[in-house]
């Protein structure tokens, strides 16, 4: 090769080597790097580099009007040192603070003591936010549910699932645009220590895990962690649930139920079914065969379940209990139904829920076991028959039936009503062990309902 050509080749090799070397010294531009990192979920989720929020806060809002007394869904709710902040240039569009939450104190304190104060929640405009909240935020994505109260009523199957969860789910589904919203992965109980929200029979916790296996239920320690950061937290979407605020609803004196005002909101008629189906599938697995069409099939006998409370407080007179069992057994002999009279305390939780999921008509004296109607299929036949001492009435399980699509009958010995009375009533013998019931009256209701 001529000397000149060798020189040119050497020069080209030298420049290529320099180009590669400089590439290592000076990597791709920030814009190219940013584009490559768009595939990283962690980088996208961490948004505290958005410095413009000092003058341009994300406004707090209530999506699609998802608010009832004691149940409110917020987008972009701020938290700083234990105080919640609503930030908006138009604060007039928000409901009064006392309909959202209360001071997290004992529930039997005077109403004025329970009224919320600025230390609990403040409503501010963006100009105030700069001094109070700063300009650098920690964002919590997805949906968080904050149960903003002490644990007194949490430790009960009915009050947790039949009020806190059912009420939340009804309001939450009003915030959806099209498809049902998923069950949240994070519950925060700021004023509960450790596991003191759990009920003694051990139902609430496992069912929360069944409806959302990845759920995190955080308590006062985690709330304190947020405070100790001395930073502003922004919940991208959060539900605030509070019992005293729910009871400030004007009709609360009549019904005395936490979820009363939620009935003014109208989500899809089958709003409960996605949660119900998910829970049953996760709990029962391959054994799960829940469907409304199956429950109405002529090939499968409808299941009538009598939840007996004999031996406990608030139970039937022994003779009436025996007559009721005999009358129900006669219906089974006729081939009208399959009768189940379980001793719930002897069944596993899985067995209890599986039985409820196959039940068409559930019978029982007023009590916690009737909460299992939440897992019954909703059909034109589905019925709850609740036995009271004559003239006694509480709205607990009638409200559950109304929410999840069952027909409710209240039985007073040999009479019954399907329209709730004007107000609740708990006469002196309401909790007694000699509640009367006329078995043939209950059988008459069952015949009528199964003929549908």
């Amino acid at each position: 090769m001529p000397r000149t050509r060798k020189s040119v080749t050497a020069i080209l090799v030298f420049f290529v080597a320099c180009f590669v070397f400089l590439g290592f010294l000076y990597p791709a531009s920030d814009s190219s790097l940013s584009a490559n990192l768009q595939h990283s979920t962690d980088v996208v989720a961490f948004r505290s580099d958005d410095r413009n929020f000092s003058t341009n806060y994300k406004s707090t809002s209530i999506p699609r009007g998802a608010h009832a007394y004691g149940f409110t869904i917020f987008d972009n709710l701020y938290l700083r040192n234990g105080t919640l902040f609503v930030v908006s240039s138009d604060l007039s569009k928000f409901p009064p603070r006392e309909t959202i939450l209360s001071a997290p104190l004992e529930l039997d304190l005077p109403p004025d003591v329970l009224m919320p104060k600025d230390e609990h929640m403040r409503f501010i405009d963006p100009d105030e936010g700069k001094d109070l909240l700063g300009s650098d935020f920690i964002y919590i994505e997805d949906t968080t549910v904050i149960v903003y109260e002490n644990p007194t009523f949490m430790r009960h199957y009915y009050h947790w699932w039949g009020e806190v969860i059912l009420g939340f789910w009804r309001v939450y589904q009003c915030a959806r645009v099209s498809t049902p919203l998923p069950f949240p992965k994070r519950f925060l109980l700021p004023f509960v220590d450790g596991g003191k929200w759990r009920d003694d029979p051990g139902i609430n916790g496992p069912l929360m895990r069944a409806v959302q296996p990845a759920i995190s239920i955080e308590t006062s320690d985690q709330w304190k962690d947020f405070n100790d950061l001395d930073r502003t937290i922004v919940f991208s979407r959060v539900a605030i649930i509070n019992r005293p605020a729910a009871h400030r609803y004007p009709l609360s004196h009549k019904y005395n139920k936490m979820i009363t005002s939620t009935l003014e909101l109208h989500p899809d008629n089958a709003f409960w079914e996605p949660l119900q189906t998910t829970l049953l599938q996760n709990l029962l697995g391959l054994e799960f065969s829940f469907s409304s069409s199956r429950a109405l099939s002529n090939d499968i006998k409808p299941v009538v379940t009598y939840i007996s409370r004999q031996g406990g407080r608030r139970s039937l007179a022994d003779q009436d209990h025996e007559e009721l069992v005999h009358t129900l057994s006669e219906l089974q002999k006729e081939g009208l139904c399959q009768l189940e009279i379980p001793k719930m305390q002897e069944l596993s939780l899985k067995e209890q829920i599986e039985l409820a999921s196959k039940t068409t008509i559930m019978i029982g004296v007023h009590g916690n076991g009737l909460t299992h109607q939440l897992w019954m299929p909703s059909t034109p036949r589905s019925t709850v028959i609740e036995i009271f001492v004559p003239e006694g009435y509480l709205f607990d399980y009638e409200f559950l039936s109304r929410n999840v699509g069952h027909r409710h009958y209240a039985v007073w010995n040999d009479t019954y009503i399907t329209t709730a009375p004007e107000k609740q009533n708990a006469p002196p013998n309401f909790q007694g062990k000699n509640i009367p019931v006329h078995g043939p009256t209950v059988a008459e209701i069952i015949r009528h309902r199964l003929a549908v």
Side-chain angles (χ1 to χ4, degrees):
M1 179 182 294
R3 186 176 186 85
T4 302
R5 183 174 296 178
K6 288 183 179 179
S7 300
V8 171
T9 302
I11 292 170
L12 289 174
V13 170
F14 174 78
F15 277 111
V16 169
C18 289
F19 181 82
V20 172
F21 178 73
L22 289 173
F24 282 108
L25 284 179
Y26 301 99
S29 67
D30 287 346
S31 59
S32 300
L33 182 61
S34 176
N36 291 333
L37 287 177
Q38 291 304 311
H39 299 291
S40 168
T41 302
D42 292 338
V43 172
V44 173
F46 183 74
R47 297 166 56 189
S48 63
D49 287 338
D50 296 342
R51 305 292 179 178
N52 62 322
F53 285 101
S54 60
T55 56
N56 185 23
Y57 284 84
K58 283 192 172 181
S59 291
T60 306
S61 63
I62 297 177
R64 302 176 68 85
H67 164 75
Y69 280 67
F71 298 88
T72 310
I73 313 298
F74 288 103
D75 285 346
N76 302 312
L77 186 67
Y78 295 73
L79 172 69
R80 178 84 182 201
N81 296 332
T83 301
L84 295 164
F85 289 86
V86 171
V87 181
S88 175
S89 57
D90 182 8
L91 298 174
S92 64
K93 62 186 179 183
F94 293 94
R97 181 170 62 185
E98 62 270 20
T99 70
I100 300 171
L101 49 65
S102 298
L105 304 171
E106 293 299 323
L107 302 181
D108 57 356
L109 291 172
D112 60 321
V113 176
L114 291 172
M115 290 296 284
K117 301 177 175 61
D118 281 354
E119 65 189 85
H120 307 123
M121 174 176 274
R122 293 186 62 178
F123 293 77
I124 62 173
D125 62 39
D127 290 336
E128 295 176 273
K130 183 176 181 180
D131 293 331
L132 292 170
L133 304 178
S135 59
D136 190 24
F137 308 140
I138 298 175
Y139 277 81
I140 296 182
E141 304 292 349
D142 301 322
T143 299
T144 301
V145 178
I146 299 178
V147 187
Y148 197 92
E149 59 185 68
N150 70 41
T152 302
F153 280 87
M154 295 182 194
R155 299 189 292 258
H156 192 280
Y157 179 32
Y158 164 76
H159 290 301
W160 180 263
W161 276 97
E163 294 189 310
V164 171
I165 302 300
L166 179 61
F168 155 70
W169 191 252
R170 186 180 184 95
V171 176
Y172 182 51
Q173 293 306 313
C174 289
R176 78 183 202 181
V177 176
S178 54
T179 58
L181 297 170
F183 197 82
K185 294 181 180 179
R186 185 185 308 104
F187 271 62
L188 182 53
L189 316 177
F191 311 106
V192 178
D193 294 331
K196 291 184 179 179
W197 60 275
R198 294 179 177 271
D199 60 314
D200 290 338
I203 297 175
N204 292 342
L207 293 189
M208 290 293 285
R209 195 69 61 184
V211 75
Q212 176 51 272
I215 198 166
S216 171
I217 301 177
E218 302 176 351
T219 53
S220 56
D221 285 346
Q222 285 74 29
W223 184 259
K224 182 177 181 298
D225 289 343
F226 283 138
N227 296 343
D228 290 345
L229 289 176
D230 194 26
R231 293 280 302 279
T232 296
I233 310 298
V234 184
F235 294 99
S236 293
R237 173 160 286 183
V238 63
I240 305 296
I241 301 173
N242 181 263
R243 182 173 298 273
H247 282 285
R248 293 190 181 106
Y249 179 61
L251 292 178
S252 181
H253 69 282
K254 175 180 178 180
Y255 299 107
N256 196 33
K257 292 296 111 194
M258 181 182 182
I259 60 173
T260 303
S261 70
T262 68
L263 294 173
E264 291 190 353
L265 301 182
H266 301 288
D268 185 281
N269 287 338
F271 79 96
W272 183 248
E273 189 171 327
L275 182 154
Q276 183 188 60
T277 301
T278 299
L279 184 146
L280 293 175
Q281 286 175 336
N282 287 334
L283 181 62
L284 304 180
L286 294 176
E287 301 167 42
F288 172 66
S289 58
F290 169 89
S291 74
S292 298
S293 58
R294 180 183 185 279
L296 286 172
S297 171
N298 292 325
D299 298 328
I300 300 174
K301 282 190 174 61
V303 174
V304 173
T305 301
Y306 167 39
I307 300 176
S308 171
R309 292 179 57 93
Q310 295 308 105
R313 74 184 182 101
R314 203 164 58 245
S315 55
L316 296 178
D318 288 338
Q319 182 177 348
D320 287 7
H321 164 72
E322 292 170 5
E323 181 193 38
L324 177 61
V325 170
H326 173 75
T327 305
L328 297 176
S329 299
E330 290 298 311
L331 296 179
Q332 179 172 245
K333 289 178 181 178
E334 292 177 26
L336 195 63
C337 63
Q338 173 186 326
L339 177 63
E340 299 287 347
I341 308 178
K343 294 181 178 179
M344 286 296 192
Q345 68 274 15
E346 297 179 4
L347 299 182
S348 69
L349 176 59
K350 180 180 177 181
E351 290 169 333
Q352 292 180 45
I353 303 303
E354 183 176 12
L355 176 57
S357 75
K358 296 176 179 178
T359 295
T360 300
I361 297 179
M362 184 175 287
I363 308 165
V365 173
H366 172 86
N368 203 23
L370 293 179
T371 308
H372 278 333
Q373 67 174 286
L374 291 172
W375 319 119
M376 286 170 52
S378 173
T379 74
R381 291 176 179 169
S382 61
T383 306
V384 173
I385 301 174
E386 184 174 5
I387 303 169
F388 292 99
V389 67
E391 305 304 321
Y393 196 95
L394 295 181
F395 290 89
D396 305 44
Y397 303 104
E398 189 271 333
F399 269 31
L400 262 60
S401 297
R402 194 186 308 186
N403 266 279
V404 299
H406 309 319
R407 187 69 179 272
H408 181 272
Y409 287 75
V411 174
W412 293 331
N413 196 2
D414 59 353
T415 62
Y416 60 86
I417 59 173
T418 57
T419 301
E422 283 299 310
K423 61 181 181 179
Q424 65 178 11
N425 182 37
N429 56 345
F430 186 85
Q431 305 286 6
K433 295 185 177 182
N434 289 289
I435 297 172
V437 70
H438 184 236
T441 298
V442 176
E444 177 189 335
I445 297 170
I446 293 171
R447 289 181 186 279
H448 171 68
R449 294 299 296 151
L450 293 183
V452 173

